[in-house]
Amino acid sequence: MARNDGIDRTVARNQDLETPADVAKVQEHNEREKDSYSNQDIVPERTSLNVHFKAPTDDYVKMFEQMEQDGVISTRGLKSDAVKYGELIFDVNSAYFYNHGGYEFAKEFYADAYKAAVEIVGGEQYILSAVMHADERNRAMSEALGEDVYHYHLHVVYIPVVEKQILWSKRCKDESLRGTVKETITQVSRSKKWESKPVLDENGNPMLNAKGKKILKSSYSVLQDDFFNFMRNAGYTDVERGERGSTEEHLTVTQFKVQAEQQRLEAVTGQVAQAEQSLENAKAATEKQKRKLEALQKETKTAKTLALTVQDIEAMGKKATFGNNITLTPDECRTLKDYAVSSFAEKAEKIKYKQKFEQAEKSAKTWKQRYDALHEQYQELKKKAQPFLDALEIASERVRAFLDVVLSKGKETQEHEHTARKRGQDMEL
């Protein structure tokens, strides 16, 4: 499985095929017997490139039955629900094959991997089918590299067997034979085939835990070791063993593919995020360069205009005549040039003030729009408040009338008092 750390690792998976339905499903997939697949990464046009290191002679179940009839295998003492079939999947990340030449290298690699499978299974006669798939596209790498990259891997369907010695029973008439080996059979047995083995110390003795019990090594860990060591000995020294750990080594093929897809999704998501960030950075850099270019073009255009204008004026000064009879003196030429340059500078100044005027006019227009909007709001508010304003006006008129009456009466009182005082003064005299 690809770890996105640049290390190429060998991976070996063992899957139990517990029911006839499981066997049929695996056969359909491995032998490409279906017309269509839910796996969109399968490319039917490349199915012809799949390589059989051992092709099945019939369907898997019928081959099993025939082997049993021929005495190649035995189901003696086997329970009805016992597991009779297994599938090994050998794999290395797609980048390993891509970097070593692709399809041709993959064929060589898995030809050696098939030899490892024969040793692990216990003999080629117990292998029903061994096929390298070359028609499954690695979507993540294909999208990342912009070209089709394929995920090469090997499926090996086999029968798990062990050698079992059958002893003469105590009921044997010949006492000398009792307890001795009667016959050796090749028994179908998944449990014995994959039973855990003791961990050995440097002297080859079983290691014990604190309670004195043997420390057992997972059969799947042994499978990983055997495949890695075989491929290393075959000359593939640039690969590493698949990572150790119970979760890693006990995944079923289905779980393995789900996990691989999750990792692929995470990798693609990271690539998309990185690409989006790169795009944003590129956009920002592009906009910045665009602004610089526009400013430079503007300056260049202005400088070019000035240069051409001055050049035209200079050319005028070099002419000897206007028309056919008039000749200019050097002083007249200089005067003409001075006036022309002055006129151009004045024109440039007018353009500058025109731009300021246009900007001021634009600002005035903006403020006028704001004023009109505020004025409209004010009119609406005034309309709503008019009854109140009218009431105030009426009230103020009444107050003024009342004050006029009070002031008038006060004035009359003052005049009356003034008359009375005057009369009093006259009488005293």
Side-chain angles (χ1 to χ4, degrees):
M1 186 191 306
R3 299 284 174 175
N4 298 323
D5 57 5
I7 299 176
D8 301 313
R9 294 184 171 90
T10 60
V11 178
R13 287 288 178 275
N14 181 70
Q15 174 173 261
D16 295 334
L17 307 180
E18 299 179 359
T19 67
D22 293 334
V23 177
K25 186 175 180 180
V26 166
Q27 180 177 321
E28 286 182 344
H29 175 79
N30 291 359
E31 309 305 330
R32 297 296 193 246
E33 295 176 347
K34 299 172 66 176
D35 294 330
S36 61
Y37 299 89
S38 57
N39 183 355
Q40 297 180 356
D41 293 330
I42 294 177
V43 183
E45 293 78 11
R46 284 182 58 92
T47 298
S48 61
L49 297 176
N50 292 348
V51 179
H52 272 94
F53 299 106
K54 184 174 182 180
T57 57
D58 207 330
D59 69 53
Y60 298 165
V61 173
K62 290 182 179 179
M63 289 177 67
F64 181 97
E65 293 172 349
Q66 187 62 50
M67 290 171 68
E68 187 177 13
Q69 291 177 13
D70 295 341
V72 178
I73 58 175
S74 174
T75 58
R76 187 187 306 181
L78 203 62
K79 294 181 180 180
S80 59
D81 61 347
V83 176
K84 302 176 183 178
Y85 303 84
E87 181 183 28
L88 295 171
I89 297 181
F90 298 108
D91 192 9
V92 183
N93 46 289
S94 300
Y96 178 67
F97 299 105
Y98 177 83
N99 293 330
H100 286 75
Y103 178 69
E104 294 299 329
F105 178 81
K107 286 196 300 182
E108 296 176 6
F109 181 91
Y110 285 118
D112 289 326
Y114 174 66
K115 297 175 184 176
V118 171
E119 284 195 9
I120 292 169
V121 168
E124 191 173 26
Q125 65 272 32
Y126 307 119
I127 294 177
L128 303 178
S129 173
V131 57
M132 181 192 86
H133 281 169
D135 59 353
E136 293 185 28
R137 183 172 176 268
N138 184 317
R139 193 186 315 172
M141 280 194 66
S142 297
E143 292 172 356
L145 298 177
E147 61 178 289
D148 288 332
V149 178
Y150 295 93
H151 177 210
Y152 302 106
H153 54 284
L154 177 65
H155 292 269
V156 179
V157 178
Y158 69 99
I159 300 171
V161 296
V162 294
E163 286 191 354
K164 181 178 181 181
Q165 293 180 337
I166 306 298
L167 304 179
W168 287 99
S169 69
K170 294 180 180 180
R171 292 177 294 180
C172 178
K173 294 180 181 180
D174 188 345
E175 292 184 3
S176 63
L177 295 177
R178 293 175 187 174
T180 61
V181 177
K182 180 180 180 180
E183 62 178 319
T184 300
I185 64 173
T186 304
Q187 185 184 50
V188 177
S189 177
R190 180 265 176 207
S191 59
K192 292 180 180 179
K193 175 66 178 177
W194 293 110
E195 64 182 357
S196 297
K197 299 178 181 179
V199 178
L200 304 178
D201 61 18
E202 57 184 9
N203 297 320
N205 299 318
M207 296 180 65
L208 306 178
N209 60 20
K211 296 182 179 180
K213 294 184 178 181
K214 292 181 180 179
I215 300 175
L216 300 179
K217 189 174 185 179
S218 166
S219 60
Y220 295 116
S221 180
V222 173
L223 171 62
Q224 288 271 43
D225 289 338
D226 290 346
F227 179 54
F228 167 69
N229 291 330
F230 188 96
M231 299 310 293
R232 272 296 186 96
N233 293 333
Y236 302 95
T237 57
D238 54 352
V239 291
E240 298 295 334
R241 182 196 185 279
E243 291 187 10
R244 301 178 185 274
S246 58
T247 301
E248 170 76 11
E249 294 168 347
H250 288 80
L251 289 177
T252 65
V253 173
T254 302
Q255 290 171 329
F256 168 68
K257 288 186 176 180
V258 170
Q259 189 181 84
E261 185 65 17
Q262 289 175 342
Q263 289 193 352
R264 187 197 73 80
L265 180 60
E266 291 173 1
V268 172
T269 303
Q271 290 170 358
V272 169
Q274 185 177 3
E276 289 178 346
Q277 185 60 46
S278 298
L279 179 61
E280 290 299 321
N281 295 341
K283 284 183 178 179
T286 301
E287 289 297 325
K288 184 177 181 180
Q289 293 300 323
K290 183 179 179 182
R291 290 193 295 270
K292 286 184 177 180
L293 179 61
E294 289 176 348
L296 182 60
Q297 289 176 336
K298 186 176 180 180
E299 292 176 2
T300 303
K301 184 177 180 181
T302 303
K304 184 177 180 180
T305 302
L306 289 171
L308 288 175
T309 305
V310 173
Q311 184 179 0
D312 291 340
I313 295 174
E314 290 289 347
M316 289 172 55
K318 293 177 182 179
K319 291 181 180 179
T321 61
F322 282 90
N324 295 323
N325 301 318
I326 300 175
T327 301
L328 293 177
T329 65
D331 291 339
E332 290 174 332
C333 287
R334 282 193 294 272
T335 301
L336 178 60
K337 287 191 292 183
D338 291 342
Y339 275 113
V341 172
S342 176
S343 175
F344 179 77
E346 183 180 354
K347 183 178 181 181
E349 190 72 14
K350 287 181 179 180
I351 292 174
K352 182 176 70 174
Y353 282 109
K354 181 181 179 182
Q355 291 174 343
K356 290 183 178 181
F357 172 76
E358 290 175 349
Q359 183 63 36
E361 188 178 36
K362 184 177 180 181
S363 299
K365 184 177 180 180
T366 301
W367 284 108
K368 185 177 184 302
Q369 290 174 347
R370 293 180 182 178
Y371 166 77
D372 291 341
L374 291 173
H375 183 69
E376 184 177 353
Q377 293 177 5
Y378 166 74
Q379 292 298 333
E380 291 179 358
L381 179 62
K382 182 179 179 181
K383 184 177 180 180
K384 293 179 180 179
Q386 194 61 48
F388 177 72
L389 295 175
D390 294 340
L392 288 177
E393 186 175 355
I394 294 172
S396 61
E397 290 177 353
R398 291 180 178 179
V399 169
R400 283 197 297 271
F402 173 75
L403 291 175
D404 289 342
V405 171
V406 172
L407 292 173
S408 177
K409 289 184 177 180
K411 186 176 181 181
E412 290 178 356
T413 301
Q414 289 177 353
E415 290 178 351
H416 178 73
E417 289 177 351
H418 178 73
T419 304
R421 283 196 300 271
K422 187 176 182 181
R423 287 178 181 176
Q425 292 174 353
D426 293 340
M427 289 176 66
E428 290 177 357
L429 292 172

